[in-house]
Amino acid sequence: MVYRGKEKPLLEIKLTDGQQDAFIPSYTSLDQIQGNVTVTAQVNTQIDQVYITLEGIVKTYVEKIASSSPTNGRSEAFQCFLRLVQPMEDAAFPESGILKAAETYTFPFTFVIPERLLPQNCNHLKDNDTVAQAHLQPPPTLGDPLTAVWGKALMDDMSPDMAVVSYAIRARVTKGRQSNGKHNVIADDAKKVRVIPAVPEQPPLVVHEGKEDDYRLRKEKSIKKGTFKGRLGTVVMESAQTRSLRLPPPRTENPCPVTTSATINLRFDPASLEAAPPRLGSMVTKLKVATFFGSEPMKHIPTRSSDFHYSSQKGIYVETLPLSSRCMASAQWDKHTSSGSPPRRDSALSMISSSNPNIPGPSSSYKETLPYYTAHVLVPIILPSKNDGTGFSKIFVPTFHSCLVSRVYLLDMTISCHTPDASITVPTLHLKLPIQISAEGSPDARPSISEDERQAIARREAAEFTWHPRSVAPPSPEYVEQAQFPTFSPPTPEYTEVAPAGGSRARDSEPTEAVLTQGMSERSGNVRAHTDLPPPNYSVHTITRPNVSSSASR
C-alpha cells in the first residue's frame, strides 16, 4: 500500500552535532553523528514503529559486451555492508500508537562510525586472511557526485558510474506488514553523509615482476653512443615503494599539503673503460588512479589490470594525473671500483638485501673488470589539491579494498638520458611504483562508553593492581591433623586353572605353564581357558555409490 497526500506523515532529519549547516556532513572513524528525526502527521495516523538507521551500501554493475548479439547485457551487484539501528524508547511514542494530526514528534539518534565491520559482512571465499582483514575495513564514500565535496564545492573523486559507495541516515515509519512479511513503509526519508574512515599505512606490497604486472621497481636500458657507433653502456634505474600520502581528517581547515618522497637510485655500467655516464635529463612524475569493481566478490587484492580486461564480471577504470616535471641535469655520478660491486639481485628485494641499499645491483651486461657509476635522485611527491591555486577539481580517497570495489594508486616515474650524439632518440627509463594513500582519524575521537562501564573498568583495574600481603603464620588448630583419606581394598582375584600357551610364539610351553602353575598354586580362584572359543566372524560390507554420468556432472 502506498500512502500519498495527507495520509503520509512528514519526515525531516536534522543534525545537532555542529554540521547542520554543512553542505555535505563529513565524518571519520569514531565520529558521532547526532541529530533528531521529526515526524508530523497531517491526519490521525496509526503507526507501528519508527526506524532510524545509518546505512552503508555498495552498488556496482558491469556491462557485458556480446560479440554475436547486437544487444548488450549488464550484471549488477548490491551489498549493504553497514546498518546501525537506533534503539527507540517507548516513551517517545504516543500511548495509543496514533500520531495526532498537526503534532510533531521528535526522535533523537546517535551513531558512531565504526572502525571495523562485522565478520559476517564478508562471508565469501578469499585467498588468504589478508583479504579478509582488508574487506572488513569500512570503505570511503565513492562515486556519488553529490557527496564528493571540498567545503561547498563539488569535486571529482575519479570514480566511474559503475562503482558507488554511499552512506546515509534513513528514517522510516511503518504500519502493518505486506503479504510477503515485510514492513509496510508509509513514510521514508534519507540524508546523505560523507564518510572517510581512518586508514593506517599498510606494509609494502610484495611485487613479483612479470610481463603482465602493473608494477616495475627496476629497469635497465642500453645506451648507444650514436648511430652505428656501438654501445656506451647500460643504465639501471631502481626504487622501492615510498611512504604513504597521508590525508588529513575531514573538516580540517586550511590543511597542509600532502607530501612524501621517492628515492631513485641510478647505476651506469660502461661498455668500455673510456665510456662516461650520460647526462640526466628531466624526471616526469604522474599518479595513476585505478578503481577496480565487479559484480561478484573479489577473492584477492587486485594487482594486475589485465585480470579485469574483457571480463563480463569485472571492470577497471583508470585516470592519470600529472604531478611534476623536474630537470635532473645537476645530478652527479660517483665512480666505484669493481671490487665494491654488489651481486645482482631480484628487483623486489634489491632495496633491502644489499649491504648498501643505495647502490643498485649490476646490469646483465656488467663487466667486473670495469668500474661503474652511481647517482641518487630524491623526488618530492606532492598531492595536488584545490588550495594550491591551480584550479584542481579532483578529490582523493584513501586506498581501500572491499568485497566489490577497490581503489589503488600507482606512481609513474620516467627519466631521460642525454647521449653524446644528439641526433639519436633520447633514451628513457620508466618505473611504476605502488603507493598508498592513508587517512588520519579525528584527534578528538575516542571510543564512547557509559559511566557504568567506565566505573566497572576502573574497579577491575584497581582490583588487579591491589597488593595483598602474604600470610606465613601457621594454620589454626582446628585445621591441624584433620585430614582423612578413605581406604579402598580391591578384591583379590582367584585362579584355579592356567590357560596353555598357544601359537607359534610359545616355544617352551611346558616350562611356562609350570611356572604359571607354581605361581598360582598359592591362590584360590577360577581361571577359564579361552582356547575353545570360536574364531571371530568378520563380514564385508560393500558400499555402492551411485554412478554419476559425465553429462550430469557438467
Side-chain angles (χ1 to χ4, degrees):
M1 180 177 180
V2 179
Y3 287 78
R4 298 183 178 90
K6 295 183 178 181
E7 298 179 355
K8 182 178 180 180
L10 301 179
L11 296 180
E12 187 177 5
I13 302 175
K14 297 180 179 180
L15 297 178
T16 59
D17 52 11
Q19 296 200 60
Q20 54 269 20
D21 297 331
F23 185 66
I24 292 294
S26 299
Y27 302 92
T28 185
S29 301
L30 299 180
D31 276 351
Q32 289 190 0
I33 306 177
Q34 297 179 340
N36 298 318
V37 174
T38 58
V39 182
T40 304
Q42 303 182 67
V43 296
N44 292 345
T45 305
Q46 176 75 36
I47 66 170
D48 292 341
Q49 189 59 267
V50 176
Y51 292 95
I52 306 175
T53 58
L54 173 63
E55 300 180 0
I57 62 174
V58 177
K59 294 181 181 180
T60 61
Y61 71 88
V62 180
E63 296 286 354
K64 297 180 180 179
I65 302 177
S67 58
S68 60
S69 175
T71 59
N72 297 333
R74 172 187 291 189
S75 59
E76 300 179 349
F78 173 87
Q79 180 192 19
C80 181
F81 59 86
L82 177 65
R83 178 178 284 125
L84 303 180
V85 181
Q86 171 66 39
M88 307 300 295
E89 298 181 358
D90 296 337
F93 295 90
E95 296 181 358
S96 59
I98 299 177
L99 301 179
K100 296 182 179 180
E103 289 192 10
T104 300
Y105 300 85
T106 302
F107 302 91
F109 63 84
T110 300
F111 297 109
V112 177
I113 304 297
E115 293 181 296
R116 305 286 293 176
L117 301 177
L118 297 178
Q120 56 263 32
N121 289 325
C122 180
N123 54 9
H124 61 88
L125 295 178
K126 297 167 284 290
D127 290 347
N128 49 60
D129 187 63
T130 303
V131 181
Q133 295 298 324
H135 287 186
L136 294 181
Q137 174 75 29
T141 301
L142 186 74
D144 191 345
L146 296 180
T147 57
V149 296
W150 182 286
K152 295 185 177 181
L154 293 176
M155 306 288 284
D156 180 16
D157 58 9
M158 296 168 287
S159 177
D161 297 336
M162 292 80 77
V164 176
V165 180
S166 61
Y167 292 81
I169 302 171
R170 189 176 180 184
R172 289 168 292 179
V173 180
T174 63
K175 177 184 178 182
R177 292 183 179 270
Q178 303 177 6
S179 58
N180 56 4
K182 295 183 178 180
H183 291 283
N184 187 24
V185 180
I186 62 176
D188 190 355
D189 191 19
K191 183 178 183 63
K192 292 183 177 181
V193 296
R194 181 171 178 257
V195 175
I196 304 297
V199 178
E201 183 177 1
Q202 301 299 321
L205 184 67
V206 178
V207 178
H208 300 287
E209 294 186 12
K211 294 183 178 180
E212 297 181 355
D213 289 343
D214 291 349
Y215 305 108
R216 183 186 301 124
L217 304 183
R218 177 187 172 96
K219 180 65 176 178
E220 296 183 9
K221 186 74 172 182
S222 179
I223 307 297
K224 294 183 179 181
K225 298 179 182 179
T227 307
F228 308 111
K229 292 184 180 181
R231 291 178 59 254
L232 180 67
T234 303
V235 177
V236 180
M237 183 181 181
E238 191 176 85
S239 186
Q241 181 173 339
T242 66
R243 297 294 301 269
S244 67
L245 293 162
R246 195 158 182 82
L247 300 176
R251 309 189 308 274
T252 301
E253 298 181 359
N254 301 322
C256 298
V258 180
T259 63
T260 186
S261 61
T263 301
I264 305 298
N265 299 315
L266 300 170
R267 174 181 175 131
F268 175 70
D269 293 335
S272 62
L273 189 60
E274 297 79 12
R279 182 172 56 90
L280 300 180
S282 60
M283 172 72 74
V284 179
T285 307
K286 300 178 182 179
L287 183 66
K288 288 189 176 182
V289 184
T291 304
F292 298 88
F293 56 93
S295 57
E296 60 181 9
M298 301 182 189
K299 299 180 180 180
H300 60 277
I301 294 178
T303 56
R304 295 189 302 179
S305 59
S306 58
D307 296 340
F308 288 74
H309 290 158
Y310 310 106
S311 174
S312 60
Q313 303 293 333
K314 297 180 291 186
I316 181 175
Y317 178 79
V318 180
E319 284 196 17
T320 303
L321 303 177
L323 295 183
S324 64
S325 178
R326 291 179 171 85
C327 179
M328 298 298 170
S330 59
Q332 300 295 326
W333 290 94
D334 298 328
K335 186 177 181 179
H336 303 266
T337 58
S338 58
S339 59
S341 176
R344 179 176 172 83
R345 298 153 288 159
D346 181 74
S347 61
L349 304 175
S350 59
M351 295 302 298
I352 58 176
S353 61
S354 173
S355 58
N356 190 350
N358 294 326
I359 299 180
S363 63
S364 56
S365 60
Y366 171 67
K367 299 178 181 179
E368 296 184 358
T369 58
L370 299 177
Y372 65 94
Y373 302 83
T374 60
H376 313 288
V377 178
L378 183 63
V379 182
I381 309 298
I382 303 176
L383 206 61
S385 66
K386 187 177 177 58
N387 289 345
D388 55 14
T390 59
F392 189 74
S393 61
K394 309 290 184 180
I395 193 170
F396 297 92
V397 299
T399 302
F400 74 94
H401 303 282
S402 66
C403 298
L404 298 175
V405 182
S406 291
R407 169 59 66 87
V408 176
Y409 297 92
L410 183 144
L411 201 60
D412 190 300
M413 310 186 74
T414 304
I415 191 171
S416 60
C417 300
H418 295 283
T419 59
D421 191 351
S423 61
I424 64 174
T425 304
V426 177
T428 59
L429 290 89
H430 184 201
L431 292 185
K432 296 181 291 184
L433 309 178
I435 188 172
Q436 302 177 26
I437 294 185
S438 57
E440 298 181 5
S442 177
D444 300 328
R446 294 292 185 273
S448 58
I449 57 176
S450 63
E451 185 63 27
D452 295 339
E453 293 174 335
R454 187 179 292 103
Q455 294 178 1
I457 293 174
R459 289 193 299 268
R460 183 175 66 250
E461 292 178 351
E464 291 177 354
F465 293 98
T466 301
W467 181 75
H468 300 281
R470 180 183 177 184
S471 176
V472 294
S476 302
E478 62 268 19
Y479 297 111
V480 179
E481 298 182 357
Q482 298 295 325
Q484 297 181 1
F485 299 94
T487 58
F488 175 74
S489 300
T492 304
E494 299 179 356
Y495 303 92
T496 57
E497 298 179 6
V498 177
S504 59
R505 297 183 180 179
R507 298 180 179 178
D508 301 328
S509 60
E510 294 181 358
T512 304
E513 184 177 356
V515 173
L516 294 175
T517 305
Q518 181 180 359
M520 296 181 182
S521 60
E522 300 177 358
R523 305 175 183 177
S524 62
N526 183 18
V527 176
R528 299 172 57 186
H530 297 281
T531 57
D532 57 343
L533 295 178
N537 181 20
Y538 297 96
S539 59
V540 179
H541 299 274
T542 304
I543 300 176
T544 305
R545 298 181 181 275
N547 186 15
V548 181
S549 61
S550 59
S551 61
S553 63
R554 290 193 298 265

